[in-house]
Amino acid sequence: MTTTDETVAHDTVEAAMRVQLAKAFGGVRGIIEAAVPTITFTGMWIGTSDLRMSLVVSISAAVVLLVVRLLQRSSPQFVINSLIGIGIGAFFASRTGDARDVYLPGILYNAGYSVVMLLSIVTRWPLVGFLIGSVTGDPTGWRKDPAVVRLCSRLTWMLMVPCVIRVAVQLPVYLIGGNDAVAELGILKIVMGWPLQVAGLAAMVWLLTRGRTPVRPPAIP
């Protein structure tokens, strides 16, 4: 739960969002940890064309990163996320024997996430708004202010665009490329992963520097 001091420290929606986004992206280390399993799997597949070995090495790399985090007593959140991602991909690929299926869960995730975010915008419950709720301690209070709803809708659009781009580019490669597309999908996942997300984050931060929307709407006399 957010403390009162932390809530008071963010007197505008923009300030609160900048802090929450910084936490969500995990910094440079989080970005690297998220990319290591994909880089390892893709490199091993290109070098050996051995699905089992590629999966074992990529999962092992994620486990090593997790152990390092635990030994350092730092947050393992981003390593766990990458480990879960490569684990689900490994399950898909091991069931079908098709190496490109390692990347299918990521494509499906981005497609589903895009749909959920679009629905949240259309229904005027933009997902980004709940980050504001985590700061104020009131999960839905932000909806009382139309200015905050509009801001959160714009930010949700910016968060959705990278997901849509990934699906639009990677899905055709997956469908028509066969096993020859494994390396292409790996490279695309790396290039369109954190770099694309960071670009979206930069656009969000740019928008957040342009206004000063109060966390709570002014009281009506």
Side-chain angles (χ1 to χ4, degrees), residues 185-210:
L185 286 168
I187 293 170
L188 285 173
K189 183 170 183 178
I190 295 166
V191 172
M192 304 183 75
W194 280 107
L196 191 59
Q197 203 68 38
V198 168
L201 173 62
M204 295 170 78
V205 170
W206 172 80
L207 179 62
L208 291 170
T209 60
R210 291 168 55 87

Side-chain angles (χ1 to χ4, degrees), residues 18-37:
R18 287 195 294 269
V19 171
Q20 293 300 306
L21 289 173
K23 291 179 181 178
F25 281 84
V28 174
R29 183 174 180 178
I31 292 172
I32 294 173
E33 289 171 341
V36 164

Side-chain angles (χ1 to χ4, degrees), residues 58-148:
S58 61
I59 292 174
S60 299
V63 170
V64 169
L65 292 175
L66 177 60
V67 170
V68 170
R69 279 283 193 176
L70 293 176
L71 290 175
Q72 294 178 338
R73 298 180 182 275
S74 58
S75 173
Q77 173 188 347
F78 299 97
V79 180
I80 291 175
N81 290 345
S82 66
L83 185 58
I84 291 173
I86 193 64
I88 294 173
F91 174 78
F92 272 62
S94 62
R95 296 281 292 182
T96 65
D98 192 338
R100 64 179 173 161
D101 284 341
V102 166
Y103 306 107
L104 180 58
I107 296 172
L108 296 177
Y109 170 83
N110 279 279
Y113 198 38
S114 298
V115 171
V116 170
M117 285 191 284
L118 180 60
L119 289 175
S120 77
I121 294 169
V122 171
T123 58
R124 295 185 60 77
W125 283 89
L127 287 184
V128 172
F130 293 99
L131 289 178
I132 302 299
S134 70
V135 173
T136 63
D138 184 351
T140 61
W142 53 272
R143 291 199 76 245
K144 299 174 184 177
D145 189 342
V148 175

